[in-house]
Amino acid sequence: MTKDYRQFCGLARAAGVLGERWALLVVRDLTLGPRRFKDLGEGLPGVPTSVLTARLRELEQMGIVERRAAQQPGGGVVYTLTPYGAELTPILDRLGRWGAQRMSVPAPDEIITSSSLAAALRAAYRPGAITAATFSIHVGPASAWAAVDGSEVTVDVGLPESTPALIIHGGPQFRLLLAGRLSAAEAITSGAVEIEGPHAVLEDFVRAFHVPLDDVIGTP
Amino acid sequence: MTKDYRQFCGLARAAGVLGERWALLVVRDLTLGPRRFKDLGEGLPGVPTSVLTARLRELEQMGIVERRAAQQPGGGVVYTLTPYGAELTPILDRLGRWGAQRMSVPAPDEIITSSSLAAALRAAYRPGAITAATFSIHVGPASAWAAVDGSEVTVDVGLPESTPALIIHGGPQFRLLLAGRLSAAEAITSGAVEIEGPHAVLEDFVRAFHVPLDDVIGTP
DNA sequence: CGGAATCCAAAACGATACTG
DNA sequence: CAGTATCGTTTTGGATTCCG
């Protein structure tokens, strides 16, 4: 449990916990807010309950995750990030952007989860482009929303509470829109995305949310 | 080889490569500069050559590491980070600082490698405290140096080329100096560190290199 | 719902030895 | 120096089932 490198090194510690299978994705999902065991399991297709339990215990023991009784609907248990764990958020955002640089279009067997979409939106946010707006995004089976207010952005899975300025339905090409490889206009005319709302708001969206994409040279 | 989460997610990609055993530490060592196979192996006590090879191949395949023929002494092979891989440096620095927050004093079985020391110094650097100086640091069997010049810092293992303004020999308590739990004066009088050079330069050092340390509450 | 318990299979790690 | 090859052992991941 929890890899041990026997090195007195902050990075080795981090690698020890977060390098375990599924650990980083569990934390990613928890950066969006408190989650139940079941939510985590469903949001991470392929995790056996036994592994999820193990990861949560380890993260708990390292002070990253906290296990609490849920007050509201139905009681039960929720997992949250501790303040220490929450400090990972900006780091994971950067790491996620780094990894996304080489991701153009989903492979046939790759899925998009709502949590990954929400986290990607948060990581993609560039303050200053727009002042305020709420977006509702659907990509394949995944749904998330992002609410911009000044330099802040709030994201989560599912649907926004307030009515969004724009609803976007995107397909596999959605990534290219975030990369600027497709302009807002192109994305619409090509059918890469369909929107409910004004075209101009989609222009706002692409200005506010951006993740560059490398020209990847084939490996000769 | 290379964990697969089947998710179209930058973080999942990153976790796939960097989550493999030893991978993050290999990258850490390479952020310091080109390294030979043997250097990496010796700097990572416990890695079998077979595993090291596997990790290097994976990192190479992901475009993070490049394998080149060494020009200079003796020929052979060196591994370097690609530009893409080098982009990880600031991220790993942040992750390392995050992990170090809960590390006060090395456990009896924890070692300090020269690479981890050098990387820790880089991560600990706060621009603005001093204008220029070179430090030579020894902690246990590990040796590294850091050269400050304006807002830039350069670090590596071993000894600096130019004569340092200060040589520091630290013991297990060295971490507390970086955390500010020990003042420069206290560190010297308590014997936590021994220095060759002016006391005042050690004051400079602690101002320029700092990694906070959490008050960790026992787990009740 | 929130897990604990079992069990099997497959990696993958670590050690060691050996080669170009 | 820079690995490859082999191999036994240990993990641990994944699937399934069951329980409070």
Side-chain angles (χ1 to χ4, degrees), chain B residues 10 46 53 68 78 85 93 198 209 212:
Chain B
T53 305
R68 291 189 336 222
V78 287
D93 283 349
F209 296 88

Side-chain angles (χ1 to χ4, degrees), chain A residues 6 8 19 87 101 109 111, chain B residues 6 8 87 101 109 111:
Chain A
R6 311 262 147 179
F8 184 70
E87 290 176 24
Q101 277 181 88
D109 62 339
I111 62 175
Chain B
R6 310 263 149 177
F8 184 70
E87 290 175 26
Q101 276 180 89
D109 62 338
I111 63 176

Side-chain angles (χ1 to χ4, degrees), chain A residues 24-25 28 92 95-112 116 175 213 216, chain B residues 1-20 23-24 58-59 61-62 64 84 88:
Chain A
L24 215 55
L25 299 189
R28 177 197 70 189
L92 296 196
L95 197 56
R97 283 199 306 267
W98 175 84
Q101 277 181 88
R102 299 289 177 94
M103 277 174 27
S104 55
V105 159
D109 62 339
E110 279 180 329
I111 62 175
I112 300 178
S116 75
R175 169 76 182 89
L213 174 59
V216 76
Chain B
M1 162 209 278
T2 269
K3 284 165 193 157
D4 194 1
Y5 293 103
R6 310 263 149 177
Q7 294 199 8
F8 184 70
C9 166
L11 200 54
R13 293 280 177 105
V17 220
L18 303 177
E20 291 293 318
L24 215 56
E58 291 159 16
L59 292 168
Q61 189 186 342
M62 297 295 290
I64 297 167
Y84 181 56
L88 283 169

Side-chain angles (χ1 to χ4, degrees), chain B residues 45-196:
Chain B
V47 205
T49 62
S50 51
V51 171
L52 184 54
T53 305
R55 286 306 90 85
L56 286 167
R57 295 288 171 277
E58 291 159 16
L59 292 168
E60 204 184 338
Q61 189 186 342
M62 297 295 290
I64 297 167
V65 158
E66 204 169 6
R67 184 181 190 272
R68 291 189 336 222
Q71 357 277 65
Q72 270 327 85
V77 176
V78 287
Y79 293 92
T80 340
L81 291 183
T82 64
Y84 181 56
E87 290 175 26
L88 283 169
T89 307
I91 303 177
L92 296 196
D93 283 349
R94 288 192 65 169
L95 197 56
R97 283 198 307 267
W98 175 83
Q101 276 180 89
R102 300 288 176 94
M103 278 174 26
S104 57
V105 159
D109 62 338
E110 279 179 329
I111 63 176
I112 300 179
T113 72
S114 294
S115 293
S116 75
L117 179 58
L121 288 170
R122 184 184 56 214
Y125 179 60
R126 301 193 287 193
I130 60 177
T131 61
T134 297
F135 304 91
S136 181
I137 326 271
H138 305 269
V139 180
S143 297
W145 56 270
V148 171
D149 188 10
S151 68
E152 303 288 301
V153 65
T154 313
V155 301
D156 202 354
V157 301
L159 300 174
E161 306 248 323
S162 58
T163 27
L166 185 71
I167 303 178
I168 307 180
H169 299 268
Q173 309 269 64
F174 181 72
R175 169 76 183 91
L176 303 182
L177 182 68
L178 280 185
R181 294 300 179 88
L182 242 44
S183 72
E186 287 166 348
I188 291 177
T189 62
S190 75
V193 307
E194 293 175 16
I195 65 174
E196 299 175 45

